[in-house]
Amino acid sequence: MPENAYIHIPFCRSKCRYCSFVSSVDLSLKKDYLKALKKEIKFYYKGEPLQTLYFGGGTPSVSDAGEIEELISLFNINSGTEITVEMNPESFKNIRGANRISFGCQTFDDNILQILGRRHSANDVKNSVKAAQDCGFDNISLDFIYGLPSQTVQGFEKDLEKAVSLGVRHISLYGLKIEQNCYFHLHPPKNLPDEDIQADMYLKAIEVLTSDRFKQYEISNFAHSGFESAHNLNCWNNGKYYGFGAAAHGYKDNIRYSNTSDINEYIKEPVKHSGETVLTAQEQLEEEIFLGLRKTDGINIQSINKKFGINFERKYSGILSKYSEYIVPTAHGYRLTINGVLVSSAILSEFISV
């Protein structure tokens, strides 16, 4: 059974212009939503001791601290359970039971923050990190987006240097993607960096962060030793996890399932999954590979060979030969080079249905 759980809190005080995630600014729904969420958790969760519990959104910190604490109390947790709560920098709350905070910083440039429709300022980030540290939180992560309107490589470098100076232990980086159902899709922003500049930003991030005690352990994630996200590592290791809440996804018993993205529909029928897919052995193998290759340690082919009864190097010899410049051997298998990461979408797609 899963020993990890994700909980989606789909409420925000305002919608960021790049956001296409399932969220609502109608906070009047929150009370009924939390009731439905408790009903779903009690229906599916079987009391397993959890290794990780992750609250994402939306903005989980729009809820009262007590509301999050009540949800935490529904699970079998211990001192070793990683409990993460995503927060916006203007809404830090000291939540008892949580031991990891992930702040959505995005940038320290106040002008760009306004373009994005963010509610916080650069000073809010600094103040919230300090407040969390004063409350005893040592495991703090900051999210950044690169490729933002009017952003430069030099500006992004300064963002990361400021983050390091705050003493945070984990940093996540995401290239801007403008999806449907967001403001920017209908109103394209001006002065977007091109793909080459975005690649330069990514490479600069690796240079800045790895020169200052951060290890890149996954394509988009950097951490001090011992502060890697255990919840996300479970996903990249193709591990099982519960997904609770509207638009949440879960994985157990080789079944990937999802909940409805309609918040009102979820409130009415919280225990009804809107979709379930039973993965074939080949599909499980493919996920093991392309999730595993996101990690800088790469994949363990002995484990894969034993788990799926294959000879990895024989089965994928053509791909390994074709991309030998980008996929390199390790002591236990293979990993992507930095340049391989830049073209990883093309490479990983070739492992499907070989």
Side-chain angles (χ1 to χ4, degrees):
M1 297 299 290
E3 297 177 339
N4 305 271
Y6 172 83
I7 297 178
H8 191 65
I9 308 293
F11 297 104
C12 297
R13 297 198 180 279
S14 60
K15 190 88 167 178
C16 299
R17 292 172 179 168
Y18 58 84
C19 180
S20 58
F21 292 124
V22 173
S23 63
S24 172
V25 297
D26 185 359
L27 299 185
S28 68
L29 297 173
K30 183 163 67 74
K31 182 177 180 180
D32 287 338
Y33 179 84
L34 293 175
K35 288 181 180 178
L37 189 56
K38 293 171 193 172
K39 184 176 181 180
E40 184 193 10
I41 292 169
K42 291 176 180 178
F43 185 84
Y44 285 109
Y45 175 61
K46 305 305 179 185
E48 304 91 332
L50 291 189
Q51 296 179 0
T52 70
L53 177 59
Y54 193 104
F55 291 85
T59 309
S61 53
V62 300
S63 298
D64 296 334
E67 291 172 330
I68 300 295
E69 291 165 3
E70 185 176 355
L71 292 173
I72 293 174
S73 73
L74 299 178
F75 295 92
N76 183 357
I77 59 174
N78 55 58
S79 60
T81 305
E82 178 192 88
I83 303 175
T84 302
V85 181
E86 290 183 353
M87 298 187 185
N88 278 353
E90 82 283 357
S91 60
F92 168 70
K93 289 181 174 68
N94 183 12
I95 296 173
R96 291 174 298 176
N99 50 32
R100 184 174 185 271
I101 302 295
S102 179
F103 286 116
C105 175
Q106 319 315 354
T107 178
F108 283 105
D109 187 313
D110 282 331
N111 290 328
I112 297 179
L113 286 171
Q114 288 187 359
I115 294 172
L116 299 179
R118 298 290 292 176
R119 296 177 62 87
H120 73 268
S121 67
N123 276 332
D124 287 333
V125 179
K126 299 172 188 176
N127 293 337
S128 287
V129 169
K130 178 64 164 56
Q133 291 167 336
D134 289 346
C135 288
F137 287 97
D138 190 32
N139 196 348
I140 300 173
S141 178
L142 292 182
D143 287 354
F144 287 90
I145 301 177
Y146 60 93
L148 295 171
S150 301
Q151 190 179 44
T152 64
V153 175
Q154 294 76 18
F156 185 53
E157 180 179 8
K158 288 180 180 179
D159 279 349
L160 298 174
E161 289 172 345
K162 287 180 182 178
V164 169
S165 73
L166 295 179
V168 298
R169 303 289 197 162
H170 188 282
I171 291 175
S172 296
L173 309 177
Y174 303 96
L176 177 66
K177 292 184 179 179
I178 297 176
E179 309 277 4
Q180 291 185 356
N181 303 320
C182 76
Y183 177 90
F184 279 164
H185 184 257
L186 297 176
H187 307 87
K190 299 178 180 179
N191 302 319
L192 285 174
D194 61 26
E195 289 185 0
D196 289 339
I197 294 178
Q198 286 198 42
D200 289 342
M201 290 177 175
Y202 179 75
L203 295 174
K204 177 58 70 173
I206 295 173
E207 175 189 329
V208 170
L209 295 176
T210 57
S211 67
D212 200 331
R213 297 173 56 207
F214 283 85
K215 175 188 175 183
Q216 183 180 17
Y217 69 100
E218 190 269 344
I219 286 177
S220 302
N221 288 270
F222 301 75
H224 288 181
S225 178
F227 290 88
E228 299 84 358
S229 169
H231 182 84
N232 288 339
L233 276 171
N234 176 67
C235 295
W236 298 320
N237 287 326
N238 206 20
K240 309 297 189 291
Y241 58 93
Y242 288 106
F244 298 114
H249 292 69
Y251 181 43
K252 61 179 182 178
D253 303 325
N254 299 323
I255 297 173
R256 292 209 178 273
Y257 65 87
S258 59
N259 287 339
T260 178
S261 297
D262 186 307
I263 296 174
N264 286 293
E265 184 178 323
Y266 173 79
I267 290 172
K268 292 177 182 177
E269 296 186 283
V271 301
K272 178 183 178 181
H273 292 156
S274 64
E276 290 188 352
T277 301
V278 180
L279 300 184
T280 65
Q282 177 63 28
E283 288 170 334
Q284 293 173 51
L285 170 60
E286 291 165 0
E287 292 201 356
E288 193 95 5
I289 294 168
F290 62 69
L291 288 171
L293 283 174
R294 290 188 60 92
K295 299 179 297 179
T296 54
D297 287 344
I299 55 174
N300 185 319
I301 62 171
Q302 290 184 346
S303 174
I304 288 175
N305 290 345
K306 181 178 180 180
K307 186 173 181 179
F308 296 98
I310 64 168
N311 184 312
F312 179 89
E313 292 177 315
R314 181 185 304 154
K315 181 176 178 67
Y316 296 107
S317 60
I319 298 174
L320 296 175
S321 176
K322 179 178 178 179
Y323 292 107
S324 59
E325 179 183 353
Y326 302 115
I327 308 175
V328 296
T330 67
H332 57 265
Y334 289 88
R335 65 172 178 85
L336 294 175
T337 64
I338 291 177
N339 286 331
V341 169
L342 295 176
V343 293
S344 58
S345 294
I347 295 173
L348 297 178
S349 67
E350 296 215 17
F351 282 96
I352 297 176
S353 299
V354 172

